Amino acid sequence: MIGQDNIRTNKFGFDVDLHGKVFSISSLLILFFVIITLALPEQMGPIFNGARSFLTDNLSWLFLFAANVFVLVSVGLIFTPLGKVRIGGMHAKPDFSYAGWFAMLFAAGMGIGLMFYGVSEPITHFGTSLAGDSWAPLGGAAGNDAASQSLAMAATIFHWGLHPWGIYAVVALSLALFSFNKGLPLTMRSIFYPILGERIWGWPGHIIDILAVFATLFGLATSLGLGASQAAAGLHYLFDVPNTNVTMVLLIIGITLVALGSVMLGVDKGVQRLSQINMALAFILLVFVIFVGPTLLLATGFVENIVSYLKYLPALSNPFGREDTNFVHGWTAFYWAWWISWSPFVGMFIARVSRGRTVREFLIAVLLVPTLVSVIWMTAFGDTAIHQLVGDGFQGVKDAALELQLFTMLGQLPLTAITSFLGIVLVMVFFITSSDSGSLVIDSITAGGKVDAPKPQRVFWALIEGAIAIALLLGGGLTALQAAVITTGLPFTIVLLAACYAIIQGLRSEPRT
């Protein structure tokens, strides 16, 4: 039963309803990590760097192989009779409209990443491909502008298209199935009932949920750290605010406090409204860049980029015998670990808002809608930045720091101050939606699957997310963020591969509409 092993008390004036073992082990280990990292930042930096290098150098193939499996399982289920199963039972009705559902899917899953990498990744891949250096995807296309642009956009879409959403889809569908159709708690352990049976209520289940908490928190912290660094860079660019660790820490603290208000309001009033605001602001910025930038080039580029993506997809997704090892280790392995770390958070959130959809409807929406939006976004921002470099000879974006490249690109378009400020606001709102969505999900895991646990518990996890982001930024910056997400993503990759078997077994016993 949901919350069957929970501790319920009101000892300190706060209502508490939590799973004692999962909550205590998760929170104590994470608090220990935060304290050590803040106390010994100089010693922790090399440790983070060494961990990242070891894992990406030796196990990047596992991340690539697993991501391919998740995509194949998701696509395969669309075309089987199992796609007719309805989440929540044959007579379940959707809780949200398509507009609200799509907004929450997209805001939860991609948010800050699109803002941070929308310009920087295409322009970086273009530069390495054109130079033919060791960081180029598939070895690059030295000296060939057109081929380098095609390869750069294909590699970017590869990282933001079907593969991340295949990861999310597997987790979300399995959680929704075992919770809404089988009546099990909305926690990661429930997915493994076909494999572990009643043992999911013991230590095997506790370990799965604890791993999910670690993966979610460090995946979120990576995004929050990237968002804080970009917001700080934008404020420095616009208002000459010092771009220092102090600024980033103050941003994380301020936005975390704002996120607490949304957490207290819950999914319907808080997260859904913020997600819709997010989508509206992102749409305004996207339309502006399309119509003020090289519009015709972007219109033709959209189709060309999809063709390039499909052309290079087999080679980019190949996990074995790669010669472009820097690209695989530094980009793809990090991304896949990041998406896998995010998957308990995004998957559980998507599951909570997807009751009433058929499996086929769910998978088509989760795979294709965000992928198409990502292609449009990356085409608009990436191709505009490349055009500024190749067509106009503007070197500013290429030479700027990663977190400044978006604002440098917008600086070459009209209404720079307004669009750059809008970009900062978007980063902050994405920050808030990620934080409060993550708090709701982690609270559910540590409360034995309860989705209506006491609000002070959600506040606790929102504060912990901010603390981890601060600790990682001070303990090693971007390298520490990458190391943390890869380290926590690795064991969870094994968990999700097992989940693929469990989900097929669970669907086979369900009635079909």
Side-chain angles (χ1 to χ4, degrees):
M1 292 177 62
I2 294 171
Q4 66 183 30
D5 299 317
N6 281 14
I7 297 169
R8 300 172 183 85
T9 185
N10 192 3
K11 270 188 180 178
F12 306 104
F14 297 110
D15 289 329
V16 171
D17 188 352
L18 48 83
H19 192 289
K21 294 182 177 68
V22 174
F23 181 90
S24 57
I25 294 173
S26 302
S27 56
L28 288 174
L29 287 176
I30 288 163
L31 285 171
F32 176 76
F33 170 85
V34 170
I35 292 167
I36 289 294
T37 306
L38 290 175
L40 304 169
E42 293 183 2
Q43 289 82 356
M44 294 301 289
I47 293 174
F48 288 135
N49 191 42
R52 184 194 64 169
S53 298
F54 174 80
L55 291 173
T56 54
D57 289 351
N58 295 284
L59 293 169
S60 59
W61 66 268
L62 177 60
F63 289 116
L64 269 71
F65 172 79
N68 291 341
V69 171
F70 303 143
V71 172
L72 291 173
V73 168
S74 300
V75 173
L77 285 174
I78 293 174
F79 297 101
T80 69
L82 298 177
K84 295 180 179 180
V85 173
R86 187 172 295 276
I87 297 169
M90 291 182 66
H91 305 294
K93 301 294 182 186
D95 295 325
F96 301 97
S97 67
Y98 276 114
W101 187 42
F102 290 155
M104 287 189 284
L105 290 182
F106 191 72
M110 291 302 181
I112 292 170
L114 284 181
M115 297 299 297
F116 192 90
Y117 288 108
V119 170
S120 62
E121 186 171 355
I123 200 75
T124 300
H125 292 330
F126 176 76
T128 57
S129 295
L130 192 61
D133 73 16
S134 61
W135 281 87
L138 303 179
N144 189 326
D145 285 354
S148 294
Q149 183 167 353
S150 175
L151 191 53
M153 294 308 302
T156 301
I157 294 167
F158 171 60
H159 289 149
W160 295 87
L162 291 175
H163 279 75
W165 287 97
I167 296 167
Y168 295 158
V170 164
V171 179
L173 181 57
S174 53
L175 281 167
L177 173 70
F178 286 100
S179 177
F180 299 140
N181 294 64
K182 309 293 186 184
L184 296 175
L186 189 63
T187 65
M188 289 301 300
R189 73 174 74 202
S190 297
I191 298 173
F192 292 87
Y193 193 85
I195 299 172
L196 298 174
E198 294 299 315
R199 285 177 293 169
I200 65 169
W201 312 121
W203 275 106
H206 301 341
I207 291 169
I208 290 167
D209 278 352
I210 290 167
L211 283 174
V213 172
F214 288 161
T216 304
L217 277 171
F218 286 102
L220 276 169
T222 299
S223 298
L224 303 187
L226 292 175
S229 64
Q230 188 173 35
L235 290 170
H236 176 73
Y237 180 80
L238 277 183
F239 307 114
D240 206 29
V241 174
N243 188 6
T244 62
N245 281 341
V246 173
T247 302
M248 285 187 278
V249 169
L250 290 175
L251 276 169
I252 292 173
I253 292 172
I255 296 173
T256 298
L257 291 175
V258 174
L260 292 179
S262 180
V263 166
M264 298 297 285
L265 290 171
V267 175
D268 291 340
K269 293 181 180 177
V271 180
Q272 183 178 206
R273 288 178 184 174
L274 275 175
S275 297
Q276 290 171 336
I277 292 169
N278 248 357
M279 291 296 286
L281 292 176
F283 181 74
I284 290 168
L285 185 61
L286 176 65
V287 169
F288 175 83
V289 171
I290 290 172
F291 284 100
V292 175
T295 308
L296 184 59
L297 178 71
L298 298 181
T300 56
F302 173 75
V303 178
E304 291 171 359
N305 290 341
I306 291 178
V307 172
S308 297
Y309 167 57
L310 296 175
K311 173 185 173 184
Y312 290 112
L313 181 59
L316 287 168
S317 58
N318 173 29
F320 305 111
R322 297 283 289 269
E323 295 183 2
D324 53 343
T325 53
N326 280 346
F327 171 78
V328 173
H329 297 167
W331 285 96
T332 306
F334 162 65
Y335 270 131
W336 286 184
W338 190 12
W339 304 144
I340 289 167
S341 291
W342 263 59
S343 65
F345 148 55
V346 179
M348 194 172 295
F349 186 73
I350 293 173
R352 286 184 64 176
V353 300
S354 299
R355 188 200 301 264
R357 311 289 178 184
T358 66
V359 168
R360 184 170 292 124
E361 179 185 18
F362 172 90
L363 288 172
I364 290 172
V366 172
L367 286 176
L368 295 186
V369 173
T371 295
L372 285 174
V373 174
S374 296
V375 174
I376 294 169
W377 185 278
M378 291 301 184
T379 296
F381 286 79
D383 277 346
T384 297
I386 293 172
H387 175 73
Q388 289 177 355
L389 174 63
V390 176
D392 303 335
F394 176 65
Q395 297 280 330
V397 178
K398 174 177 168 289
D399 296 337
L402 281 180
E403 61 268 19
L404 261 179
Q405 289 180 324
L406 169 67
F407 303 108
T408 308
M409 184 275 284
L410 292 174
Q412 295 302 296
L413 303 177
L415 305 176
T416 299
I418 295 173
T419 56
S420 295
F421 182 72
L422 180 59
I424 295 171
V425 170
L426 264 171
V427 169
M428 291 182 177
V429 178
F430 275 128
F431 196 141
I432 294 166
T433 53
S434 296
S435 178
D436 58 20
S437 303
S439 301
L440 290 167
V441 166
I442 295 168
D443 184 37
S444 180
I445 297 173
T446 55
K450 288 200 167 185
V451 296
D452 56 351
K455 290 180 180 177
Q457 294 172 204
R458 299 181 202 169
V459 171
F460 171 79
W461 289 116
L463 294 174
I464 287 293
E465 288 162 27
I468 292 175
I470 291 170
L472 289 171
L473 276 174
L474 298 180
L478 182 60
T479 298
L481 295 169
Q482 291 178 334
V485 82
I486 290 170
T487 304
T488 54
L490 177 63
F492 214 71
T493 302
I494 309 300
V495 170
L496 295 191
L497 285 170
C500 290
Y501 169 79
I503 189 175
I504 294 171
Q505 291 298 101
L507 284 171
R508 289 175 63 187
S509 62
E510 283 294 305
R512 299 160 198 173
T513 56

